[in-house]
Amino acid sequence: MHTFEARRCDVTLPAELIATLRRAGGRHGASLFATMLAGFEALLFRLSGQEDIVVGIPAAGQATGDWQGLVGHCVNLLPLRSAVDAELPFGELLGATRSAVLDAYEHQRLTFGSLVAELPIARDPSRPPLVSVMFNVDRGMPSDAIGFEGIEAQVATNERHYENFDLFLNAVEMPDAMILECQFNTALFDEASIRRWLGSYERLLTAVAERPDTPIGSLLLISDDERNQIDAWNVAAEVDHPQDSTFSEMFGARAAHAPDAIACEFEGRELTYGELNARANQLAQVLRSAGVGRGDLVGLSVERSERMIIGLVGILRSGAGYVPLDPGFPRDRLDYMVDSADIGVLVTERTTHADLGLDVPTV
């Protein structure tokens, strides 16, 4: 079910970066708003892997019709749909985003509610319709711009504790910087993730400001320290494995070499390589007797324990591949996974099988 509890994370972009972005966008005939929005779309693509991106932007409803004298917060939501792929140069995405923004403002008379009512969209209680992410750029108001005689004033933004959307990135222009205010749904995200993504957003904007024709998939989103750490992990994890041996063969060789070494441990229970190999062989024989062979897929649905490892190794030893079926998943999802993978045999436990209720032969 969709929840609304939210928090906000703020990050400051330097004025030099904003000035460079203005110049880069200007060379493509785009405003700072369109340039930062295109960068945000590129970030969402890189984070999600989804090529069809929809971002909502707010528009002042008083600008349409004869409502200039109307007082109120008449904001309309304009959904912008963009096609993004890894090979697309950022400059081309910026041009498409610029056109989409101008087109959306031309049609802002159509309200978001009316649009959703017209589109054949199935309503989903777990998310808002059509748009889950919002983006906006606000012109900041410096304190000295508020003129009340005899009164000193300070401008402070109001952090909302409830938010309609999963993410709402609001960029506030200030004289010497740009403040990114990111409201996020606390049921979906944590502050550490949001701060990391905003850091990636700043690095992406820095890169496209200098080289706007860079393919979106080539934009570096991580810091030098993070890159060095990843490289160090990769070097430390380098192991020379036989290229013509399967996992089952390598596990069997390890069990023959050190049968008494501990292979796995769970809540005080231990299995040596020899014990694990023997029990996996028993399961593999049962599966082969049930007609399982190379190229088949076998479901594996057990609670987390040493028995899960036995099931995994045993299925691979039979020549089949395993499909993990989490017993905690909803029944409809498990049925879908069984049907789509064409699973003919299920490895499970008596108690788990009774709870699953799947119509699949079991061992």
Side-chain angles (χ1 to χ4, degrees), residues 311-325:
L312 189 155
V313 178
I315 293 172
L316 295 177
R317 183 65 53 82
S318 73
Y322 73 95
V323 178
L325 301 172

Side-chain angles (χ1 to χ4, degrees), residues 128-146:
L130 192 60
V131 174
S132 296
V133 179
M134 287 281 291
F135 178 85
N136 184 48
V137 175
D138 269 338
R139 185 176 297 277
M141 182 180 296
S143 300
D144 56 9
I146 305 176

Side-chain angles (χ1 to χ4, degrees), residues 115 153 260 360:
L115 177 62
D260 297 327
V360 182

Side-chain angles (χ1 to χ4, degrees), residues 25 47 105 153 180 244 254 308 325 337 363:
L47 292 176
Y105 281 126
L180 301 180
D244 56 351
R254 175 63 178 172
M308 177 183 288
L325 301 172
M337 295 172 69
V363 298

Side-chain angles (χ1 to χ4, degrees), residues 39-113:
F40 187 53
E41 292 170 338
L43 176 69
L44 293 177
F45 162 72
R46 291 290 301 274
L47 292 176
S48 67
Q50 297 182 12
E51 297 181 346
D52 192 358
I53 302 294
V54 179
V55 177
I57 63 172
Q62 295 96 329
T64 63
D66 298 323
W67 300 346
Q68 289 86 351
L70 179 64
V71 176
H73 190 61
C74 304
V75 173
N76 186 27
L77 172 61
L78 307 179
L80 302 183
R81 187 178 186 181
S82 299
V84 190
D85 66 69
E87 300 301 322
L88 184 71
F90 178 79
E92 293 187 19
L93 174 62
L94 176 55
T97 300
R98 171 185 173 275
S99 298
V101 170
L102 295 175
D103 184 65
Y105 281 126
E106 287 291 328
H107 298 85
Q108 63 177 301
R109 182 184 294 271
L110 178 65
T111 65
F112 180 71

Side-chain angles (χ1 to χ4, degrees), residues 242-310:
Q243 297 300 309
D244 56 351
S245 298
T246 65
F247 168 81
S248 178
E249 292 170 341
M250 288 190 289
F251 186 88
R254 175 63 178 172
H257 176 72
D260 297 327
I262 301 300
C264 66
E265 179 181 355
F266 179 79
E267 293 184 349
R269 300 190 297 271
E270 297 179 342
L271 279 178
T272 66
Y273 274 94
E275 292 169 337
L276 178 54
N277 193 55
R279 295 180 65 174
N281 283 336
Q282 292 175 350
L283 176 59
Q285 292 175 2
V286 173
L287 290 172
R288 292 195 186 105
S289 299
V292 173
R294 185 177 298 276
D296 293 331
L297 292 178
V298 175
L300 177 61
S301 184
V302 297
E303 298 293 341
R304 292 181 180 273
S305 69
E306 74 281 3
R307 292 185 293 276
M308 177 183 288
I309 307 300
I310 296 171

Side-chain angles (χ1 to χ4, degrees), residues 110-121:
L110 178 65
T111 65
F112 180 71
S114 300
L115 177 62
V116 171
E118 291 292 331
L119 293 175
I121 301 175

